[in-house]
């Protein structure tokens, strides 16, 4: 039965490939995306049945949760992942990189951050309703020019860094190297198990790492929820659909049941206004983008400030390191080494915590 289904799926894939070649000439992005997503799902069915038909099934990783109905679990801790992006998720190479970053924390930590951010703004004469926006802070412009006083700008950035250091959160993120991905696609490389859109790819990688982070806490076994920066009704709907797809279909490496066992369905959208953890996600995304532009230098300020916050475990592969660089085949050894540097730098803190 599996072999028969695989044969039918393979035939459908061949027909779909022909349809895709015709749609390319129409220059209709929505149709192209729909066909890409259909082809991805169909290939998953084909590969699953082909594997069963051969007598072997390679399962996706299992992060067993406690329930498939998280809304009924009243005493289970909740960790919120606040997400923001830097760069453009379109495939044009005007900006060769796209970054999606998230800061994960509980409600108590979020309240503490908001209090600290408001105090910082008050100290420097900024309105509480103002959002800490990374590019403006980095360039010292607009509200963060402080009368073009370079000393004040430097002091403000230093105190902001202190807030980042003192806030208890975990950092998750994805770097999409659009220029390298375009090069590989031109060479014929395919990624049939990934979504068609760059934002959806980045969200998949981040969500996989979020589940791994939640699963690592076997004492509380917290569940997760997502908060996105609101961009517009259409973009918000697309992001919500991408998240729902993960809960319904899963990804290549994490099953749909695992996503549902750890992540609450539904998500929240907020505009960046006033003090909120989305500010931290904005700062993290910008710093991650700057690190990417610096060719992932081991002495970059990103690693110094944000490295201790990256979610990681002793095994830095298989989705257990919080920041994913994609594609990375040409720099794989360097990426692993950077992960090990971050992990090793966190070891003293872990040992101290375990002794306590």
């Amino acid at each position: 039965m599996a072999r028969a289904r695989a044969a039918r799926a393979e035939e459908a894939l061949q027909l779909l490939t022909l349809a895709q070649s015709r749609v390319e000439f129409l220059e209709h992005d929505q149709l192209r995306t729909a066909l890409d997503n259909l082809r991805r799902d169909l290939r998953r069915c084909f590969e699953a049945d082909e594997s069963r038909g051969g007598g072997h099934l390679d399962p996706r990783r299992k992060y067993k949760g406690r329930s498939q109905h998280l809304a009924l679990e009243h005493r289970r801790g909740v960790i919120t992942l606040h997400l923001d992006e830097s760069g453009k998720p379109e495939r044009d190479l005007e900006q060769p990189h796209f970054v999606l970053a998230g800061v994960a924390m509980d409600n108590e930590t979020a309240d503490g951050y908001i209090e600290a951010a408001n105090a910082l703004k008050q100290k420097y004469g900024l309105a509480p309703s103002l959002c800490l926006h990374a590019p403006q802070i980095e360039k010292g412009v607009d509200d963060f020019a402080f009368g073009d006083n370079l000393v004040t700008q430097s002091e403000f950035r230093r105190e902001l860094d202190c807030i980042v250091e003192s806030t208890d959160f975990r950092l998750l993120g994805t770097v999409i190297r659009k220029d390298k991905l375009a090069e590989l696609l031109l060479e014929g490389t395919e990624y049939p198990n990934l979504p068609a859109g760059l934002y959806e790819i980045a969200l998949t990688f981040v969500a996989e790492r979020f589940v791994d982070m939640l699963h690592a806490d076997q004492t509380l076994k917290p569940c997760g929820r997502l908060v996105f920066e609101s961009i517009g009704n259409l973009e918000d709907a697309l992001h919500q659909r991408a998240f729902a797809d993960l809960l319904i279909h899963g990804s290549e490496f994490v099953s749909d049941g695992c996503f549902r066992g750890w992540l609450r369905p539904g998500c929240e959208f907020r505009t960046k206004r006033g003090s909120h953890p989305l500010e931290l996600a904005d700062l993290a995304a910008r710093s991650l983008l700057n690190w990417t532009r610096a060719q992932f230098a081991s002495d970059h300020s990103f690693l110094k400030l944000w490295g201790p916050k990256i979610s990681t475990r002793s095994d830095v592969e298989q989705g257990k390191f919080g920041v994913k660089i994609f594609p990375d085949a040409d720099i794989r050894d360097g990426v692993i080494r950077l992960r090990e540097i971050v992990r090793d730098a966190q070891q003293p803190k872990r040992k101290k915590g375990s002794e306590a």
Side-chain angles (χ1 to χ4, degrees), residues 151-168:
V151 174
T152 304
Q153 292 175 18
S154 179
E155 290 176 350
F156 177 82
R157 286 193 289 265
R158 178 178 56 79
E159 292 195 42
L160 181 56
D161 287 349
C162 289
I163 292 179
V164 173
E165 291 173 348
S166 62
T167 304
D168 184 18

Side-chain angles (χ1 to χ4, degrees), residues 84-138:
D84 196 15
E85 61 192 79
S86 191
K88 295 182 179 180
E90 289 77 25
R91 290 187 179 270
D92 68 87
L93 301 182
E94 180 181 346
Q95 295 183 1
H97 308 113
F98 172 69
V99 166
L100 181 66
V103 293
M105 62 181 75
D106 58 23
N107 291 338
E108 183 179 353
T109 300
D111 291 341
Y113 165 76
I114 292 172
E115 182 179 347
N118 282 335
L120 177 66
K121 293 172 184 178
Q122 182 179 20
K123 179 178 179 179
Y124 284 87
L126 301 173
S129 60
L130 180 69
C131 179
L132 299 177
H133 196 44
Q136 279 72 22
I137 295 173
E138 181 183 297

